[in-house]
C-alpha cells in the first residue's frame, strides 16, 4: 500500500463530513430498530466501514452501483437523502421504495443505485449487464458492485469477473473486507485469503487499501476508476473491521473483547479527524461543527421516519410486479374462494 497523497482542504473535509454523516445515520437507524420502528426483523450496520467514501467519492455523476445488505453508507456516499432512506427502513410511504424495500432492498436509479441485495453476491452480476450497456453505448459510465468478504466464496463473483475481463467492461468489484461473513471469521472460511490475487488471475486491475485510511482508499479507487472507464475492469479490497455484530441484535459471541478493541482502534473516522488536524486542514472547531451538523441532520431524519405515513394496504401490490402484470387477488378474496370450492366438493 502506497502512502496516499495529501488531500486538498475542501476534498478532505468533504470526505470527513460524509463519513461523519454515515456514522451518525447508522447510530440513529440503530435506534430506530431498537424502538421497534423499523420494517423487517433485521438491520445491518456499517459502522467501522466509513472509509468506503474513498470509493464513492472517486465515482462520477451518472456512474451506477449495487450494494449488499450492509449498504447504507455506500448509498449516502452517492448522494442519498437520509430522510428518504430512514423512511424506507421504517417502511414508510415516502421512502425510496415507498416502504417496500426496507434496509436490504433500497434502490433508486436516479442516483445510480441499481439495487441493494440481501443474497450474498446477488448484486454482483448486475454490474456486468450495466457494463455491457455502457461499453456498447459509449456512455463513459462505470458501474461498481459493493459486497463483503463473504461474497469472495461465491461462484457468481468469478463468473462476473471473467466476463468483465473478457469483454473489457467498465466495472469495478469493490470488496469491503470486514473480516466476517455473518459470524464466521474470514480465515475460517477462505483457504486462500489473497483476494486481489484471485481477481488478478482473471486479468483485472487490483488494489488493496487500508480501511482505516479514507485517503488511501480514495487514491487506490481513483486509479481503478480511470482504468475502468478505459475498458480495464478492476477489483478493490478495503481492509476494514465491522464494529458491531452481523445484525443489530447480534452480540458477537464469536469475537473476544480484545479483538473488538483492537479492531475498533482502527476507526476510520478518528483517523481522518487526526489527519485533518495534523496537517492543518481543519481546526478542532471546524470538525466539531461538522460533527454537530451531522447529528442534527440525522436526528431530524429519525424523527421524520417515525412520524411518516405507512403505505396504504390498497397499495400492497403496486410497484412489486412488472408494469402491466395483473395484480393478484387479495388474500382474503382468494381464501374465501378456496373455502367455497372446498365446501362444494
Amino acid at each position: 500500500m502506497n502512502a496516499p497523497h495529501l488531500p486538498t482542504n475542501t476534498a478532505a473535509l468533504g470526505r470527513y463530513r460524509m463519513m461523519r454523516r454515515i456514522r451518525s445515520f447508522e447510530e440513529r437507524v440503530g435506534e430506530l430498530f431498537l424502538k421497534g420502528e423499523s420494517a423487517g426483523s433485521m438491520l445491518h450496520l456499517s459502522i467501522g466501514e466509513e472509509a468506503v467514501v474513498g470509493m464513492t467519492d472517486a465515482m462520477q455523476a451518472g456512474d451506477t452501483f449495487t450494494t449488499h445488505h450492509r449498504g447504507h453508507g455506500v448509498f449516502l456516499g452517492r448522494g442519498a437523502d437520509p430522510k428518504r432512506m430512514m423512511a424506507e427502513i421504517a417502511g414508510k410511504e415516502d421512502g425510496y421504495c415507498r416502504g417496500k424495500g426496507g434496509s436490504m432492498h433500497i434502490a433508486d436509479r436516479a442516483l445510480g443505485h441499481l439495487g441493494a441485495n440481501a443474497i450474498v453476491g446477488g448484486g454482483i452480476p448486475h454490474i456486468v449487464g450495466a457494463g455491457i450497456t455502457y461499453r456498447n453505448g459509449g456512455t463513459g459510465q462505470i458501474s461498481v458492485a459493493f459486497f463483503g468478504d463473504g461474497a469472495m466464496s461465491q461462484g457468481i463473483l468469478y463468473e462476473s469477473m471473467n466476463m468483465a475481463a473478457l469483454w473489457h467492461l467498465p466495472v469495478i468489484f469493490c470488496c469491503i473486507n470486514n473480516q466476517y461473513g455473518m459470524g464466521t471469521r474470514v480465515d475460517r472460511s477462505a483457504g486462500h485469503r489473497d483476494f486481489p490475487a484471485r481477481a488478478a488471475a482473471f486479468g483485472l486491475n487490483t488494489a488493496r487499501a487500508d480501511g482505516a485510511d479514507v485517503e488511501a482508499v480514495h487514491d487506490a479507487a481513483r486509479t481503478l476508476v480511470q482504468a475502468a472507464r478505459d475498458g480495464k475492469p478492476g477489483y478493490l479490497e478495503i481492509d476494514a473491521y465491522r464494529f458491531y455484530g452481523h445484525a443489530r441484535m447480534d452480540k458477537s459471541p464469536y469475537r473476544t473483547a480484545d479483538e473488538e478493541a483492537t479492531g475498533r482502534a482502527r476507526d476510520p473516522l478518528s483517523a481522518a479527524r487526526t489527519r485533518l488536524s495534523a496537517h492543518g486542514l481543519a481546526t478542532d472547531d471546524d470538525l466539531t461543527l461538522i460533527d454537530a451538523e451531522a447529528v442534527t441532520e440525522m436526528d431530524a431524519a429519525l424523527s421524520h421516519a417515525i412520524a411518516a405515513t405507512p403505505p396504504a394496504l390498497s397499495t400492497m401490490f403496486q410497484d412489486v410486479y412488472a408494469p402491466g402484470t395483473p395484480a393478484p387477488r387479495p388474500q382474503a378474496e382468494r381464501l374465501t374462494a378456496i373455502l367455497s370450492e372446498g365446501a362444494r366438493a
Side-chain angles (χ1 to χ4, degrees), residues 135-181:
R135 185 204 61 185
N136 292 348
T139 66
Q141 296 165 271
I142 68 165
S143 196
V144 181
F146 293 91
F147 51 90
D149 45 283
M152 292 302 300
S153 295
Q154 292 288 71
I156 191 66
L157 170 67
Y158 300 105
E159 292 183 52
S160 299
M161 284 182 170
N162 183 56
M163 291 179 180
L166 182 66
W167 296 332
H168 308 289
L169 302 182
V171 301
I172 293 175
F173 302 88
C174 183
C175 174
I176 306 167
N177 185 351
N178 65 21
Q179 316 301 319
Y180 281 89

Side-chain angles (χ1 to χ4, degrees), residues 87-343:
E88 181 59 40
I89 295 169
K92 300 300 178 64
E93 174 70 23
D94 58 351
Y96 272 101
C97 302
R98 303 181 68 183
K100 298 170 186 172
S103 170
M104 293 190 279
H105 302 96
I106 292 179
D108 183 60
R109 294 181 65 179
L111 288 174
H113 196 337
L114 303 181
N117 201 306
I119 304 299
V120 176
I124 292 172
H126 299 175
I127 69 163
V128 174
I132 292 172
T133 300
Y134 305 152
R135 185 204 61 185
N136 292 348
T139 66
Q141 296 165 271
I142 68 165
S143 196
V144 181
F146 293 91
F147 51 90
D149 45 283
M152 292 302 300
S153 295
Q154 292 288 71
I156 191 66
L157 170 67
Y158 300 105
E159 292 183 52
S160 299
M161 284 182 170
N162 183 56
M163 291 179 180
L166 182 66
W167 296 332
H168 308 289
L169 302 182
V171 301
I172 293 175
F173 302 88
C174 183
C175 174
I176 306 167
N177 185 351
N178 65 21
Q179 316 301 319
Y180 281 89
M182 292 191 73
T184 304
R185 205 171 59 218
V186 65
D187 61 358
R188 294 181 177 176
S189 63
H192 180 65
R193 294 188 297 281
D194 188 348
F195 295 153
R198 295 191 193 181
F202 287 94
L204 272 62
N205 277 338
T206 66
R208 176 187 285 141
D210 182 358
D213 186 341
V214 66
E215 299 305 330
V217 173
H218 188 249
D219 277 6
R222 284 189 311 157
T223 301
L224 292 175
V225 164
Q226 184 55 56
R229 290 196 201 284
D230 295 336
K232 179 75 171 179
Y235 168 87
L236 174 62
E237 180 177 340
I238 301 174
D239 182 22
Y241 188 78
R242 189 183 75 197
F243 278 25
Y244 295 98
H246 172 68
R248 182 61 184 84
M249 297 302 287
D250 175 7
K251 299 185 182 302
S252 301
Y254 43 84
R255 307 197 298 197
T256 67
D258 286 345
E259 182 198 308
E260 290 190 347
T262 300
R264 291 178 181 180
R266 298 180 57 224
D267 184 345
L269 193 60
S270 297
R273 186 181 181 108
T274 299
R275 175 196 293 271
L276 288 165
S277 294
H279 291 291
L281 297 175
T283 66
D284 284 344
D285 287 345
D286 293 332
L287 298 171
T288 299
L289 178 59
I290 289 173
D291 294 349
E293 289 175 343
V295 170
T296 299
E297 179 186 20
M298 300 312 165
D299 282 347
L302 176 64
S303 298
H304 171 79
I306 292 174
T309 303
L313 187 60
S314 60
T315 68
M316 178 185 297
F317 298 115
Q318 292 179 10
D319 312 311
V320 177
Y321 297 94
T325 303
R329 298 162 65 190
Q331 183 183 32
E333 184 179 322
R334 281 181 284 150
L335 186 59
T336 300
I338 291 170
L339 293 175
S340 298
E341 290 171 3

